[in-house]
Amino acid sequence: MRDYLIIGSGLFGAVFAHEAKKAGKSVLVIERRDHVGGNIYCEEMDGINVHKYGAHIFHTSYKDVWEYVNQFVEFNNYVNSPVANYKGELYNLPFNMNTFAKLWGIVTPAEAAAKILEQRTAIKGEPQNLEEQAISLVGTDIYTKLIKGYTEKQWGCNCTELPAFIIKRLPVRYTFDNNYFNDRYQGIPMGGYNKLISALLDEIDVRTGVDYNDSRAEFEGIAQKVVYTGPVDAYFAYKLGQLEYRGLRFATERLEEVNHQGVAVMNYTEREVPYTRVIEHKHFEFGMQPITYVTKEYPTDWHPGEEAYYPVNNERNQRLYQQYAELAAKEEKVIFGGRLAEYKYYDMDDVIKSALECACRELH
Ligand code: FAD
Ligand code: UDP
């Protein structure tokens, strides 16, 4: 009998598997998809690492997590500085002095602050939803041009129906600084994310193309404990109802061009363009290839059985998740971890931190 059966080879499963093996435990990883890595998986096309499940930029303020990943692969010095395209007008992101200067023709931080102050007077007290939070942070002009359309197509509902925290992910700065993240450390693995996953899963038994929830009987009694990183409601056969997600569709094209858009990520912020972002993958690794690959990212309604991308954080889903979490807590031989099992809008560094903490509690 093995010590651990790990369901899912994304970052949570791969980090846990690595730590368990290092602690002398025997491990088997099973993965539903036909490849390992979960959402960070890349496919190499003409020497360019194409991010198959959306652009992934590693950023963290956890020194221990940064040192952890750098043991396995060296990271480059890529800094994410996306550009917003609103009806052909280009603005720097995140919201900073470059954005304010282009939008209002102002020059100083004091002038920008005065503009925003004037535009946020409508919001009194603590913001109750994403719209109020956005206006209170950056005023109505930026809300209208750079947030409303993007957010409504991304989430498929009105900004007044979304929680405020989603927009707090983005920095607002009164300096000329286009770095999308405030974190201390940032970069892309040199040679792609698959190198990180391969190193984590080195010498670990992995079976791809196997869905645990469809073949439980086969794995019954195979290990002392299970680490489950799939959707929590699927584990319990949806007996309390289904958690909702936002879906995505990716349309990738190969173009006979050296440089298509001059930036890795361009956000299309008006409602009428059906995609949210266009990714030009080569720029993540400063590629010099004679051709390029671009991917349009279309938000979609999600249907059961499709790939689940973003948890929909509304009250109904949070309540339902809490009920599943109570069931999960009673499963003594199963550890639930990662973005699907915990139904959380986790970044990669959060997932790694959580897997390391889990491994530490479990193995030492
Ligand atoms: P996953 O990567 O989803 O891995 C879970 C694995 O379990 C999957 O491979 C799945 O196939 C498998 N599985 C599920 N059910 C079963 C089953 N029943 N049987 C067998 N296997 C199963 N984070 C950042 O830090 N920076 C970014 O720039 C960033 N960009 C993102 C962009 C997009 C579009 C999305 C959707 C997410 C982004 N993230 C980003 C978040 C990041 O993808 C996640 O934090 C991280 O990959 C989650 O790892 P995980 O192991 O929890 O889940
Ligand atoms: N957002 C926006 N305009 C943009 C980029 C982001 O309004 O140009 C909002 C949108 O609501 C999005 C949230 O900010 O869901 C968080 O953006 P982030 O880039 O962190 O989203 P992710 O990369 O996780 O999809």
Side-chain angles (χ1 to χ4, degrees):
M1 189 185 268
R2 307 227 187 191
D3 294 306
Y4 293 98
L5 171 66
I6 297 172
I7 317 303
S9 64
L11 273 175
F12 194 99
V15 167
F16 189 94
H18 184 87
E19 292 303 302
K21 172 131 198 307
K22 204 166 74 184
K25 307 291 181 188
S26 54
V27 190
L28 171 65
V29 177
I30 60 172
E31 168 57 55
R32 189 170 63 80
R33 301 180 191 174
D34 64 3
H35 60 76
V36 293
N39 281 354
I40 68 172
Y41 172 72
C42 295
E43 192 176 321
E44 197 188 307
M45 296 162 97
D46 296 313
I48 297 171
N49 288 307
V50 173
H51 295 209
K52 293 300 275 188
Y53 301 91
H56 277 75
I57 300 114
F58 195 90
H59 57 97
T60 189
S61 289
Y62 303 125
K63 188 163 195 251
D64 52 342
V65 170
W66 181 246
E67 284 168 356
Y68 187 78
V69 291
N70 273 275
Q71 304 169 71
F72 302 109
V73 58
E74 200 177 331
F75 279 64
N76 71 14
N77 60 340
Y78 175 81
V79 170
N80 198 34
S81 305
V83 172
N85 185 326
Y86 175 76
K87 303 190 179 190
E89 294 168 24
L90 300 185
Y91 296 96
N92 287 114
L93 292 173
F95 313 120
N96 74 86
M97 282 303 293
N98 291 305
T99 329
F100 308 145
K102 172 101 189 252
L103 190 64
W104 297 315
I106 54 91
V107 173
T108 67
E111 288 173 290
K115 267 276 184 207
I116 290 174
L117 188 64
E118 174 193 313
Q119 295 193 2
R120 71 159 168 234
T121 47
I123 309 301
K124 310 255 184 289
E126 190 62 22
Q128 295 303 309
N129 54 51
L130 193 149
E131 176 173 290
E132 292 186 8
Q133 180 69 66
I135 295 174
S136 125
L137 283 171
V138 289
T140 45
D141 286 346
I142 290 181
Y143 172 67
T144 309
K145 287 192 165 182
L146 303 183
I147 297 175
K148 190 173 191 303
Y150 184 101
T151 300
E152 292 187 352
K153 62 187 167 181
Q154 163 79 6
W155 294 101
C157 63
N158 290 330
C159 289
T160 49
E161 297 166 79
L162 288 165
F165 85 86
I166 292 179
I167 199 69
K168 285 206 217 152
R169 287 171 58 85
L170 307 191
V172 177
R173 290 195 197 105
Y174 290 87
T175 52
F176 292 91
D177 178 358
N178 297 329
N179 184 345
Y180 200 61
F181 302 113
N182 280 330
D183 284 325
R184 169 74 180 79
Y185 309 101
Q186 182 172 175
I188 302 284
M190 289 169 80
Y193 284 95
N194 295 2
K195 280 198 165 176
L196 173 60
I197 288 291
S198 308
L200 284 166
L201 293 176
D202 188 32
E203 293 186 17
I204 287 175
D205 294 342
V206 182
R207 285 177 56 191
T208 54
V210 183
D211 190 320
Y212 175 67
N213 294 326
D214 293 344
S215 40
R216 290 259 182 115
E218 193 188 327
F219 295 99
E220 199 64 56
I222 203 176
Q224 304 277 3
K225 263 187 149 176
V226 169
V227 175
Y228 179 83
T229 74
V232 64
D233 54 352
Y235 180 89
F236 293 105
Y238 309 102
K239 67 178 174 191
L240 304 175
Q242 251 164 0
L243 289 164
E244 291 162 317
Y245 290 89
R246 253 337 246 165
L248 290 175
R249 180 169 67 82
F250 299 103
T252 300
E253 277 176 279
R254 180 186 193 274
L255 301 175
E256 297 287 334
E257 275 180 82
V258 174
N259 183 5
H260 179 65
Q261 62 180 17
V263 68
V265 183
M266 188 170 287
N267 289 3
Y268 285 77
T269 58
E270 81 246 42
R271 184 71 193 83
E272 293 71 27
V273 173
Y275 42 87
T276 45
R277 315 188 253 217
V278 177
I279 310 304
E280 187 169 10
H281 302 269
K282 71 193 306 184
H283 296 308
F284 288 126
E285 297 180 64
F286 318 114
M288 303 296 280
Q289 298 83 356
I291 52 90
T292 195
Y293 281 89
V294 295
T295 302
K296 293 192 175 100
E297 188 174 317
Y298 294 82
T300 61
D301 289 337
W302 172 86
H303 306 100
E306 293 171 359
E307 216 52 80
Y309 286 97
Y310 293 96
V312 175
N313 285 287
N314 59 23
E315 266 175 41
R316 178 216 172 251
N317 288 313
Q318 281 313 320
R319 216 177 311 118
L320 185 55
Y321 169 68
Q322 283 313 324
Q323 292 170 340
Y324 277 118
E326 281 163 29
L327 290 183
K330 291 188 193 136
E331 297 278 303
E332 281 172 11
K333 299 270 181 225
V334 185
I335 297 168
F336 292 80
R339 70 182 185 105
L340 297 165
E342 297 179 63
Y343 197 65
K344 269 209 182 121
Y345 195 168
Y346 264 149
D347 279 325
M348 290 182 275
D349 63 329
D350 298 321
V351 168
I352 294 170
K353 187 151 192 81
S354 145
L356 287 172
E357 284 168 1
C358 173
C360 190
R361 280 194 304 274
E362 179 67 20
L363 301 164
H364 302 293

